[in-house]
């Protein structure tokens, strides 16, 4: 075999390996990697720990406070404090289970700048469309100012917020819808990157996974903590799995 054929063969093998890697299901840590000592859900520590185990991304939740600032937390009311009805000072006075104060989005993203994991930001559904629009505007501006646009992905249960992220984020920014009530064709028409649905939706509509891929959409499933469910989704070639058990998912993927 001459040198030209050898180089061509190596190129084909590398291309095939790259394709396989691109098609492999990726791990997203749900609310960060928090099932470990020193961590807590949606804490800065959970972000750092998700990055340390090589997760594709870490998911976290964002609320708009009464003084129009953004804080990171999942529950609408946490330790007696309602995120939408409280000031930033009141929200950040809450102490997480690992001893950290509840972080602002600014603090969370500042830490993320020194890491590699992608940032899967869920904007929680707010009481009014106006609040959601203001939150989206503030998020997109903050992300741009901090130079993190190329690592951001947005998810939300709100139809209004989904459309606002599609409209306001830089073109090509991944935006996923969470509710589970739209078909792949409808998501494509909206301009979504794809569905980010509870895994039970895909078990009810397994054909949606292939339909999404045929339409050029990506597929994420949440929140998957059982090996059998992980294996089912991997075998059906979903692009991402969001889990509270990122190490278990990584081990399951290695067996695949």
């Amino acid at each position: 075999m001459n040198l030209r054929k050898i180089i061509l063969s190596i190129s084909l093998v590398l291309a095939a390996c790259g394709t396989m890697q691109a098609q492999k299901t990726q791990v997203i840590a749900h609310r960060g990697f928090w099932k470990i000592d020193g961590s807590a859900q949606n804490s800065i520590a959970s972000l750092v720990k998700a990055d340390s185990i090589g997760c594709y991304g870490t998911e976290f939740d964002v609320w708009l406070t009464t003084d129009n600032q953004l804080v990171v937390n999942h529950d609408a009311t946490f330790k007696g404090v309602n995120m939408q009805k409280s000031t930033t000072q009141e929200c950040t006075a809450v102490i997480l289970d690992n001893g950290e104060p509840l972080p602002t989005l600014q603090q969370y993203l500042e830490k993320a700048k020194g890491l590699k994991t992608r940032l899967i930001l869920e904007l929680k559904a707010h009481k009014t469309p106006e609040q959601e629009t203001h939150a989206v505007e503030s998020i997109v501006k903050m992300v741009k100012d901090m130079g993190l646009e190329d690592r951001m992905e947005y998810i939300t249960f709100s139809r209004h917020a989904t459309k606002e992220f599609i409209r306001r984020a830089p073109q090509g920014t991944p935006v996923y819808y969470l509710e589970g009530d739209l078909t792949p064709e409808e998501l494509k028409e909206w301009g979504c990157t794809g569905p980010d649905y509870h895994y039970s939706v895909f078990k009810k509509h397994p054909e949606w996974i292939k339909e999404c891929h045929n339409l050029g959409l990506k597929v994420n499933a949440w929140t998957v903590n059982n090996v059998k469910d992980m294996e089912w989704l991997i075998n059906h070639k979903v692009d991402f799995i969001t889990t509270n058990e990122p190490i278990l998912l990584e081990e399951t993927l290695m067996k695949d």
Side-chain angles (χ1 to χ4, degrees):
M1 185 180 291
N2 62 34
L3 181 59
R4 184 176 178 181
K5 288 184 178 180
I6 292 172
I7 293 172
L8 178 60
S9 298
I10 292 172
S11 298
L12 291 171
V13 169
L14 290 174
C17 290
T19 301
M20 289 173 63
Q21 181 65 30
Q23 292 174 345
K24 189 176 180 68
T25 302
Q26 302 277 3
V27 179
I28 295 175
H30 184 236
R31 307 179 198 171
F33 182 25
W34 56 271
K35 284 194 171 184
I36 188 172
D37 290 344
S39 192
Q41 296 184 24
N42 275 315
S43 64
I44 289 176
S46 72
L47 164 67
V48 173
K49 292 178 187 297
D51 182 77
S52 73
I53 60 170
C55 290
Y56 166 87
T58 186
E59 184 266 354
F60 58 101
D61 307 280
V62 172
W63 294 96
L64 185 71
T65 63
T66 56
D67 50 346
N68 290 320
Q69 300 300 309
L70 299 158
V71 294
V72 177
N73 185 66
H74 178 267
D75 297 343
T77 299
F78 184 62
K79 296 191 175 183
V81 177
N82 185 296
M83 301 294 125
Q84 290 187 74
K85 296 181 179 179
S86 303
T87 65
T88 308
Q89 185 175 4
E90 291 167 333
C91 291
T92 57
V94 173
I95 301 301
L96 304 181
D97 291 344
N98 68 338
E100 287 182 28
L102 187 148
T104 65
L105 179 60
Q106 180 87 26
Q107 291 168 334
Y108 194 93
L109 295 182
E110 284 286 356
K111 188 64 177 181
K113 287 171 69 174
L115 306 175
K116 294 181 180 179
T117 187
R118 290 185 67 81
L119 303 165
I120 318 300
L121 187 156
E122 178 182 344
L123 178 62
K124 306 303 288 186
H126 284 62
K127 291 185 179 296
T128 69
E130 291 77 17
Q131 284 178 299
E132 292 180 351
T133 294
H134 185 76
V136 170
E137 290 175 340
S138 299
I139 289 165
V140 169
K141 182 180 185 304
M142 184 183 296
V143 168
K144 180 179 180 180
D145 291 346
M146 298 181 75
L148 288 169
E149 289 178 318
D150 62 342
R151 286 175 53 204
M152 293 301 303
E153 302 187 16
Y154 299 113
I155 62 176
T156 180
F157 282 92
S158 164
R159 290 188 175 209
H160 176 76
T162 301
K163 291 178 179 179
E164 286 291 87
F165 274 125
I166 292 169
R167 185 162 72 92
R168 296 176 183 276
Q171 187 173 6
T173 302
V175 179
Y176 295 85
Y177 177 62
L178 292 166
E179 186 62 44
D181 58 345
L182 294 178
T183 66
E185 291 82 1
E186 289 171 316
L187 293 171
K188 180 73 172 182
E189 289 175 5
W190 277 23
C192 274
T193 305
D196 186 351
Y197 291 167
H198 190 267
Y199 68 90
S200 63
V201 176
F202 294 119
K203 287 200 168 184
K204 185 178 179 181
H205 297 286
E207 73 280 3
W208 281 5
I209 299 171
K210 186 174 182 180
E211 286 176 23
C212 282
H213 290 154
N214 288 341
L215 290 168
L217 303 179
K218 299 288 188 179
V219 177
N220 191 0
W222 58 268
T223 299
V224 188
N225 302 318
N226 178 280
V227 170
K228 287 187 178 180
D229 294 326
M230 292 174 181
E231 289 175 340
W232 187 91
L233 291 161
I234 293 166
N235 289 337
H236 282 76
K237 296 180 170 56
V238 302
D239 300 283
F240 311 101
I241 293 175
T242 299
T243 179
N244 291 323
E245 304 285 354
I247 290 180
L248 179 62
L249 177 53
E250 289 177 349
E251 291 172 348
T252 304
L253 284 162
M254 288 178 66
K255 296 175 187 175
D256 185 51

